[in-house]
Amino acid sequence: MPPRVAYVWGVSDFKKLKVWRKAHSLALSVRRVARSIRGADNASLRNQLIRAAMSIPTNIVEGTGQKTGKEFARFIGIALNSASELEYHLIMARDDRVIKTNDVESLLSRTIEVRKMLHGLQNAVLASPRTPKKHVPTS
């Protein structure tokens, strides 16, 4: 059975993109874990974790509405930067011992997986012809 596909930078439903679904799930998990961080001195870290995690699927959504592949790739790049930022904040939370090791390791693994998927999507978009007819696997 061939993989399902979506049209890039004219995706009719961003929810069909597997990378968006994984990024959304990651953001929900980060938000849940970050809410367990206590203390006023950790408020900034808690906020940054949530903001970086939410930025990943948000930029995928924003990118799918763009008119060109170059514009879509730019938003994917922003999502990649947010994934790297999230990875650092998770490392900081782990090293500061404000999040359980099991939670951090799971979230780090998922963050890296999403980042790899974003790199693949960005490469596919940039390598495709300038026409918005390019198919990208959604599953």
Side-chain angles (χ1 to χ4, degrees):
M1 184 169 155
R4 294 180 308 193
V5 295
Y7 289 99
V8 178
W9 65 88
V11 176
S12 62
D13 185 359
F14 61 86
K15 295 179 292 297
K16 291 181 180 177
L17 291 172
K18 186 175 182 180
V19 67
W20 177 85
R21 292 192 308 266
K22 285 189 175 278
H24 175 66
S25 175
L26 174 63
L28 290 170
S29 296
V30 167
R31 189 175 164 113
R32 178 188 49 79
V33 170
R35 285 180 173 168
S36 71
I37 300 173
R38 298 291 172 230
D41 54 333
N42 292 319
S44 177
L45 178 58
R46 188 171 44 245
N47 183 47
Q48 286 299 109
L49 280 162
I50 294 168
R51 289 171 54 95
M54 290 179 63
S55 177
I56 302 166
T58 299
N59 278 289
I60 295 168
V61 170
E62 203 166 347
T64 59
Q66 301 306 304
K67 294 181 181 180
T68 69
K70 185 176 178 180
E71 291 172 7
F72 184 30
R74 184 173 68 84
F75 281 94
I76 297 168
I78 296 168
L80 278 163
N81 291 341
S82 295
S84 295
E85 180 183 349
L86 175 60
E87 181 178 7
Y88 170 72
H89 291 312
L90 288 167
I91 291 167
M92 178 62 134
R94 178 197 63 204
D95 293 351
D96 204 21
R97 297 186 178 119
V98 296
I99 296 178
K100 295 177 194 173
T101 303
N102 290 347
D103 286 338
V104 171
E105 296 309 319
S106 172
L107 293 172
L108 281 170
S109 175
R110 292 169 63 192
T111 300
I112 292 166
E113 178 186 15
V114 166
R115 193 169 58 224
K116 287 177 181 178
M117 293 175 74
L118 287 167
H119 275 294
L121 178 58
Q122 187 178 50
N123 289 338
V125 169
L126 289 173
S128 68
R130 297 180 70 91
T131 172
K133 298 283 185 193
K134 175 71 180 168
H135 295 286
V136 172
T138 60
S139 58

